[in-house]
Amino acid sequence: MKPLERGIVSDYDLKRGSVKLGYGVMILFICIMVFSMLYPFLTTLFNGVKGNAEVNSFPPHFFPKEWHFENFHKAWVYIALPKFLRNTLYIFFGNMIVTTIVLGLAAFSLSRLNVPGQKYIYLFFMIALFIPPTTYIIPNFINLKDLHLLNTFWAFWLPAGASAFNLLILKEFFDGIHMDLIESGRIDGASEFRLFVQIAVPLSIPIFSTIAIFVFAGAWNDWYWPSLVLHNDSHYPLSTAIYKYVLNARRLDTNIKFALLSMVMLPPVLFFLFFQKYIMRGLHVGGVKG
């Protein structure tokens, strides 16, 4: 039988009382953290299957006395969820395409090309990270208005190509790709664009998957910016529709609100569970076999 590798703490260390106490404290804090994360999610889910009178009863109780799964059907037909979901996916896929093409090429240029003033360009984008996002909401709005891009999806796609954060993390990942791979492609006559498409992008699937999680979370959760640049519900993403037509609704039963919120919470969780397996893939993609 193959012996197990020694961990941070050995079996001998675990026999000591002080080590057991330390492990117990860590496990306690982990349980508290897990509970604090799961409690709001489970509360929303259970309130979504309660009767309206039970949701508004006092004192409240965690588990429902009666299960009303028909609440999800009522929530589904209350607003046009498929339309708002489609708009959210349009924003997400557009943002990812712009991020991959614009920011990917820019990051690859800063990483692998001799760009004049490269150090100062990198410093400029680093400084941009310290600027509060609220300070450029009005300039972005005015620019989009002058370009006649309000009430269009370009009001989301165009700013996605100016993310300093995504640019810098892409550059840092491209810096980790072994230079021998790039040089071998140049020797074979590949252009810089072909190097980006056929070498940099395939090796960067982990970082693009990570960025996809961030972009999806932003497209799914942001409601304030869409409420500024969109003037009707034909282009509303799901979060803005939920804010305007569910959270601010006065005649909608509370249990139906919770049912709607439950359905909205599930897709980001599933999206993360699907993409997180790609994050650690290619940990040694920059290595070259001898």
Side-chain angles (χ1 to χ4, degrees), residues 64-285:
K65 296 180 179 178
E66 296 181 357
W67 299 77
H68 297 272
F69 292 102
E70 68 274 7
N71 293 344
F72 291 101
H73 175 72
K74 296 178 181 179
W76 180 265
V77 300
Y78 176 73
I79 59 175
L81 285 179
K83 179 182 72 172
F84 299 125
L85 175 61
R86 179 198 62 195
N87 294 340
T88 303
L89 294 179
Y90 281 164
I91 295 173
F92 164 67
F93 285 115
N95 288 351
M96 277 306 302
I97 293 174
V98 172
T99 299
T100 303
I101 297 176
V102 177
L103 297 183
L105 288 172
F108 184 77
S109 300
L110 290 175
S111 176
R112 295 304 179 185
L113 301 183
N114 294 323
V115 179
Q118 179 178 350
K119 180 175 67 175
Y120 300 102
I121 296 175
Y122 181 80
L123 181 62
F124 170 79
F125 285 108
M126 283 291 295
I127 295 174
L129 293 178
F130 293 91
I131 301 176
T134 53
T135 59
Y136 48 78
I137 288 180
I138 295 178
N140 281 347
F141 180 85
I142 295 176
N143 290 334
L144 292 172
K145 181 180 179 182
D146 294 338
L147 294 173
H148 304 286
L149 295 179
L150 295 180
N151 205 37
T152 66
F153 290 123
W154 283 104
F156 305 94
W157 299 339
L158 195 62
S163 173
F165 176 77
N166 290 339
L167 173 67
L168 293 179
I169 62 175
L170 281 173
K171 179 189 177 300
E172 292 298 323
F173 195 89
F174 289 153
D175 289 343
I177 298 177
H178 206 287
M179 194 62 187
D180 288 352
L181 294 174
I182 305 297
E183 291 299 334
S184 63
R186 288 171 177 166
I187 293 174
D188 292 338
S191 63
E192 301 299 334
F193 181 75
R194 186 175 178 184
L195 292 175
F196 170 75
V197 173
Q198 295 187 352
I199 296 180
V201 172
L203 294 178
S204 304
I205 295 300
I207 194 62
F208 279 112
S209 300
T210 304
I211 291 177
I213 293 176
F214 296 151
V215 172
F216 183 81
W220 193 271
N221 297 326
D222 188 21
W223 63 269
Y224 182 70
W225 178 249
S227 65
L228 288 179
V229 298
L230 300 178
H231 303 150
N232 55 66
D233 62 356
S234 62
H235 289 77
Y236 277 165
L238 194 57
S239 57
T240 304
I242 292 295
Y243 175 77
K244 288 182 175 292
Y245 303 134
V246 177
L247 298 182
N248 290 337
R250 297 182 178 181
R251 297 184 179 181
L252 181 62
D253 292 339
T254 307
N255 59 338
I256 305 301
K257 289 184 178 181
F258 277 110
L260 274 164
L261 295 177
S262 299
M263 291 190 292
V264 171
M265 286 192 305
L266 287 177
V269 176
L270 299 177
F271 185 88
F272 173 79
L273 292 177
F274 176 77
F275 274 96
Q276 60 88 25
K277 63 182 179 181
Y278 296 102
I279 296 177
M280 297 305 297
R281 180 178 294 179
L283 185 61
H284 304 289
V285 292

